[in-house]
Amino acid sequence: MEVIRSQKRTPTNDTVSNPKLPLYFTAPTMEVRLEEFELFAVHRLRVLKGVSDGLARGRNPKEMDETVDTLWRDHMRDPDASVMLNKDIISHFVLRLVYCRSDELKKWFLSMETALFRHRFRLENFQTQRGIVGEFGLPYKAVTGAELEGLKEKLGQVVRSLGQISPNVDAVYYKVPFEEVPDLVATRRVLIQKGYAFVAGSQLVSLVVTQFRAHLSKALILTNRKWTTTIQEREKDRLTPIVEALSTSYVGPDYSQSSEFAEITLKDIDQVAKTSFPLCMRHLFDKLRDDHHLKHGGRMQLGLFLKGVGLKLDDALAFWRAEFTKKVGSERFDKEYAYSIRHNYGKEGKRTDYTPYSCQKIISSAPGAGDHHGCPYRHFSEDNLRAALGRMGLSSRGMEDVMDKVRNKHYQLACTLTFEAVYGTSCDAGINHPNQYFEESQKILKSKTPSAPV
Amino acid sequence: MTREDDAMMDAPQINNPKPEELFNVNYLRIYYGNLFPYTDIHKWLSYGHDGKHPGCDEYYFGRREFSFTLENDVYLRYKSFKTASAMEDAIKSHFPYKIDIGAVYSVDPDKRHAYSQTGTNVFTPVERELVFDIDITDYDDVRYCCSGADVCSKCWPLMTVAIKVIHTSLTEDFGFKHILWVFSGRRGVHCWVCDPKARRMTNEQRSAVAEYFRVYKGNENNARKVALMGYSLHPFLARSYVDYLKGFFEGELQATQSIFSSREKYEKILEMISDEDIQSELREKWENSARSSLSEEAISLVRWEQLKNTLQSKKHKAPILRMCVEEIVFTFTYPRIDLEVSKQMNHLLKAPFCVHPKTGRVCVPIDPYNCDEFDPLAVPTLSQLIEEINSGGSRMDVDDDDSDGSLLGKSIKFFRSSFLEPLLKLCKEEIESSYKTKIAKSKDSFSW
Ligand code: SF4
Ligand SMILES: [Zn+2]
């Protein structure tokens, strides 16, 4: 591609070795027309955005396969395979430019491209999959013969622990250093012995995805360097404006800054907590008022949410101090807790990327003993959840609808239904973020009371 | 903020010696002046980079973060020291109540501001031991002898089991060899995995190991705290259950905590059975047998057998009951690790051989292979150590071999022979071999 040039000297040509799913090792060497540069990128962004939505809605891997399949067909597919492949590669490299420019952007792009790759890989047949493993040059040997026999019983145990009744194991296993398949380790989906994980043929995707992610992550750093040192300046009349526009127009809403509605001060906080907080935050808020303490996970979840809601730093400090000092005394508060609150506001320490947690993040958190953070729809027992919903004023009909979603593990939908029941309006976008919940709720409440709140 | 700090707000106990008799700054002066093993700590955290080999990274130790908590609660973060003597001098001039060890950073933590001026954020953690923090306060709902920061010989075995389960998995499953267990000085244990591979893990890999150990999903709002799915236990859980948990639950735990002996106790367990009929069947039985003449332990054991039999006979009823017995055992005995500490490279953890300011006890290493013998209440305290010095006992020049006799000597000796020496041997070999490949490579590239 004329504008970007080759990223890496590896002579692998994606087009030849694997016609369907490129690994994006090298940038294409053809020329790209300016309109295509932008158009392809927009199409790919629609796909990535769709992936992001699917994940935020908590779709399971199977459903995500379907989502990706549809998205790809709608936005990227072309009857001519080579045209589609070009579009695939060009759009990917353009978006690398767009998303290499800040850590936040990089992170988003990296997770979405990785997810996209994961599901496209899953949709391929075993032959193609093996081909991709070879292309990454993964040095793993298949476990066979006596070694496999010796492990059969334990491998069978793993299979059964994952919910399969019969202890039938895969025909092919690979022996892989455990640190290369972190997701399989974390969920105990593999047998681990003396530092090696035994990865079933059907779990290949995990291996490949790790490689893909690592490769892309490095490439983005290089792209960033190129962008800042040469491209940005050289292309300032042509590509730079396009690149800059692309990133802002399509990233999901950013709740790290408070929106127009928000400007919450200390004296309103109890009021809005009651009227506009989603259940997760209301629970934390009430617990804090009751116990005058929250453990780390709770402080982060609620603290960042309040920041997004528009509570200013001074008010935030006052708010937390008022509660914590009842329990730990003000000296300890200043010493141990104030720091991290300032930190959340980017006032202390170097990092400023503390954005309020999304539902996805909250739902996948794992509160432990003494913790109150997490998503009540996911982490409460049925009884506790019912009681909490009762306090939100849900009718028994509404309650059953919500519980039904919970049982099917659609936590955000459950939250959306709660929202709809509480405010009596529909929420088509669905709840993806506690701060979104808050803002939508404020919109509704403000439209109902044209005068200042009493 | 570690949970160890949370304890500081607990009221001092009655009957115990006054805190200042256990711990005060004068004692600390003597301890840091005469006893603290500076050289060993420095050797450990240098990992073979002692400047003797041309392949050494002589700035390695200097990029390690330390933090001090001082007497008046002043908290100094991001301290770093070029040499062992610089560390010793700093400790001797501050007498920290607590010393924490953090990560090795890309640049000297002391100078991080100078680097941050350059615009690029080069100050990031690059190496860190894989650490675990287990604390008895997290077991409050399953021990009846103590609560909060207190610990006694009845509940300490919960820690012992935790050490066994985790240590076995770290060695057998993950293949780690250089693991240090340390008493946290009061009510828990810390674990430092120091193998090169462990130190270089990314946060994602650390989380993966931590999650591998997670079984306990419960929180304050859900009674069924352990949910085991599937038709079998994962081999790691199966081994933990068979080798350690089951025996401990039915033996020592029943003997010390009699977890079924009263209504208040057994109701908590009945709640974990997701079937109301079984719950009420058992409840009825137990209410009727309340006046039995058996000992608490015996009653408790009988009820446990009844529960097992009932569940066995109703197994087919619902898949959710399939693992109910195991779930109960895991709930009571499986290690409750503060996983957040393990997941991030930049978390701080208290240094071994510190002294706990509330108990005055030294954070001594624990031998995982003899952890049954470890008694937290027999760990030497500052005042005992001082007494030993005053009575002319060993000056604790632990460099000679007869240091065994002194109170702390044994711990230091264990630290050296079981942990430090094998570790340094490995590190030296690694430095040597990576140096060789480097030389070989540079030759290659010159050849054309
Ligand atoms: S769905 Fe989102 S907003 Fe609703 S309770 Fe759960 S985490 Fe909070
Ligand atoms: Zn006790």
Side-chain angles (χ1 to χ4, degrees), chain B residues 126-181:
Chain B
V126 290
E127 273 193 28
R128 167 59 161 168
E129 294 77 9
L130 174 63
V131 296
F132 297 96
D133 179 5
I134 313 176
D135 194 312
I136 195 90
T137 43
D138 282 333
Y139 289 73
D140 276 0
D141 59 328
V142 294
R143 57 184 186 142
Y144 299 101
C145 48
C146 313
S147 69
D150 296 334
V151 55
C152 71
S153 57
K154 285 186 174 173
C155 50
W156 182 260
L158 286 161
M159 290 288 113
T160 311
V161 171
I163 294 176
K164 289 178 188 170
V165 167
I166 301 303
H167 190 80
T168 308
S169 178
L170 287 172
T171 54
E172 292 303 311
D173 299 350
F174 293 100
F176 293 126
K177 296 199 175 78
H178 302 277
I179 303 168
L180 177 69
W181 288 92

Side-chain angles (χ1 to χ4, degrees), chain A residues 158 160-161 163 165 179 182 185-186 188 190 192-195 283 299 335-337 366 368 370 379-381 384, chain B residues 1 5 9 73 172-175 197 205 208 211-212 214 217-222 230-232 234-235 237-238:
Chain A
V158 175
R160 277 172 56 78
S161 76
I165 295 191
E179 62 273 28
V185 173
R188 285 196 295 266
V190 279
I192 310 180
Q193 270 188 3
K194 294 289 178 197
H283 179 64
R299 296 199 298 272
K335 187 189 125 213
E336 289 174 18
Y337 300 97
H379 295 112
F380 275 24
S381 68
N384 281 334
Chain B
M1 249 161 281
D5 299 325
M9 61 195 171
D73 271 1
E172 292 303 311
D173 299 350
F174 293 100
K197 185 163 150 176
Q205 292 163 338
E211 287 299 325
Y212 183 79
R214 180 195 295 282
K217 303 228 156 115
N219 54 66
E220 295 307 303
N221 302 296
N222 197 340
Y231 291 89
S232 161
H234 182 277
L237 298 180

Side-chain angles (χ1 to χ4, degrees), chain A residues 176-328:
Chain A
V176 179
F178 77 85
E179 62 273 28
E180 295 186 21
V181 282
D183 55 329
L184 297 180
V185 173
T187 45
R188 285 196 295 266
R189 305 179 80 83
V190 279
L191 172 67
I192 310 180
Q193 270 188 3
K194 294 289 178 197
Y196 288 95
F198 292 87
V199 179
S202 55
Q203 294 171 319
L204 267 184
V205 59
S206 169
L207 271 176
V208 174
V209 164
T210 312
Q211 295 294 323
F212 180 86
R213 193 187 166 93
H215 173 76
L216 182 55
S217 168
K218 274 192 212 123
L220 282 171
I221 294 169
L222 293 180
T223 313
N224 172 267
R225 215 167 284 160
K226 277 198 175 159
W227 170 260
T228 45
T229 53
T230 53
I231 306 175
Q232 185 176 22
E233 178 55 28
R234 198 184 64 206
E235 294 286 342
K236 66 176 186 301
D237 301 321
R238 205 171 57 130
L239 295 182
T240 305
I242 302 179
V243 164
E244 278 166 0
L246 273 170
S247 68
T248 45
S249 50
Y250 278 95
V251 203
D254 171 10
Y255 292 103
S256 58
Q257 246 76 49
S258 47
S259 77
E260 64 212 89
F261 294 102
E263 253 302 271
I264 299 298
T265 59
L266 263 186
K267 66 176 171 26
D268 312 324
I269 201 163
D270 283 282
Q271 175 65 22
V272 295
K274 229 177 265 139
T275 59
S276 292
F277 281 17
L279 193 50
C280 53
M281 300 302 168
R282 220 172 122 161
H283 179 64
L284 283 171
F285 189 84
D286 291 345
K287 276 294 156 196
L288 176 64
R289 288 284 198 229
D290 290 350
D291 299 349
H292 317 301
H293 193 269
L294 283 177
K295 293 183 85 171
H296 178 74
R299 296 199 298 272
M300 291 299 286
Q301 183 176 316
L302 180 61
L304 291 170
F305 169 79
L306 291 175
K307 177 174 87 163
V309 151
L311 193 67
K312 293 275 172 286
L313 173 62
D314 285 343
D315 279 354
L317 278 168
F319 167 73
W320 290 99
R321 172 176 288 118
E323 291 302 332
F324 270 57
T325 46
K326 289 183 196 154
K327 180 124 182 189
V328 303

Side-chain angles (χ1 to χ4, degrees), chain A residues 62-274:
Chain A
K62 267 251 153 54
E63 294 165 338
M64 280 305 291
D65 286 346
E66 284 159 30
T67 307
V68 163
D69 203 28
T70 320
L71 285 166
W72 196 262
R73 195 166 347 136
D74 290 353
H75 303 294
M76 297 294 288
R77 180 148 304 174
D78 193 285
D80 182 337
S82 74
V83 171
M84 179 166 86
L85 185 65
N86 275 342
K87 182 174 176 182
D88 184 357
I89 295 175
I90 291 167
S91 62
H92 172 86
F93 278 97
V94 174
L95 289 187
R96 273 195 196 178
L97 278 182
V98 175
Y99 283 89
C100 74
R101 296 169 311 126
S102 80
D103 285 349
E104 199 68 23
L105 293 172
K106 249 191 279 188
K107 210 167 120 196
W108 185 82
F109 182 67
L110 187 58
S111 9
M112 294 319 143
E113 277 286 342
T114 306
L116 174 63
F117 181 81
R118 174 193 298 274
H119 294 287
R120 288 180 70 195
F121 183 88
R122 283 164 55 101
L123 291 163
E124 296 292 349
N125 62 33
F126 190 63
Q127 231 40 44
T128 314
Q129 292 186 343
R130 292 289 320 250
I132 292 170
V133 174
E135 223 176 320
F136 271 115
L138 299 182
Y140 311 124
K141 281 255 268 316
V143 186
T144 49
E147 190 177 8
L148 186 61
E149 270 316 303
L151 293 170
K152 272 240 161 93
E153 196 191 321
K154 287 195 169 150
L155 292 170
Q157 252 181 329
V158 175
V159 167
R160 277 172 56 78
S161 76
L162 296 172
Q164 186 181 309
I165 295 191
S166 73
N168 290 339
V169 304
D170 266 44
V172 191
Y173 277 85
Y174 297 88
K175 190 172 173 180
V176 179
F178 77 85
E179 62 273 28
E180 295 186 21
V181 282
D183 55 329
L184 297 180
V185 173
T187 45
R188 285 196 295 266
R189 305 179 80 83
V190 279
L191 172 67
I192 310 180
Q193 270 188 3
K194 294 289 178 197
Y196 288 95
F198 292 87
V199 179
S202 55
Q203 294 171 319
L204 267 184
V205 59
S206 169
L207 271 176
V208 174
V209 164
T210 312
Q211 295 294 323
F212 180 86
R213 193 187 166 93
H215 173 76
L216 182 55
S217 168
K218 274 192 212 123
L220 282 171
I221 294 169
L222 293 180
T223 313
N224 172 267
R225 215 167 284 160
K226 277 198 175 159
W227 170 260
T228 45
T229 53
T230 53
I231 306 175
Q232 185 176 22
E233 178 55 28
R234 198 184 64 206
E235 294 286 342
K236 66 176 186 301
D237 301 321
R238 205 171 57 130
L239 295 182
T240 305
I242 302 179
V243 164
E244 278 166 0
L246 273 170
S247 68
T248 45
S249 50
Y250 278 95
V251 203
D254 171 10
Y255 292 103
S256 58
Q257 246 76 49
S258 47
S259 77
E260 64 212 89
F261 294 102
E263 253 302 271
I264 299 298
T265 59
L266 263 186
K267 66 176 171 26
D268 312 324
I269 201 163
D270 283 282
Q271 175 65 22
V272 295
K274 229 177 265 139

Side-chain angles (χ1 to χ4, degrees), chain B residues 265-298:
Chain B
K265 291 178 177 180
Y266 67 62
E267 276 300 331
K268 279 202 290 202
I269 299 170
L270 289 178
E271 265 179 59
M272 297 177 205
I273 304 174
S274 313
D275 183 297
E276 290 190 4
D277 295 342
I278 300 181
Q279 280 186 15
S280 47
E281 185 184 326
L282 287 168
R283 185 179 292 119
E284 213 168 287
K285 250 189 214 150
W286 297 348
E287 273 168 9
N288 293 336
S289 68
R291 296 192 177 279
S292 142
S293 59
L294 294 170
S295 73
E296 276 197 28
E297 183 189 349

Side-chain angles (χ1 to χ4, degrees), chain B residues 13 18 27 34 44 75 91 114 164 167 178-179 183-184 206 211 230 245 290 323 338 382 389-390 393 405:
Chain B
Q13 277 179 271
K18 289 215 186 73
Y27 284 1
N34 299 280
W44 164 33
Y75 185 50
I91 294 177
K164 289 178 188 170
H167 190 80
H178 302 277
I179 303 168
F183 175 48
S184 73
R206 283 161 208 271
E211 287 299 325
L245 304 181
M323 297 269 198
D338 185 357
L382 256 192
I389 292 184
N390 289 343

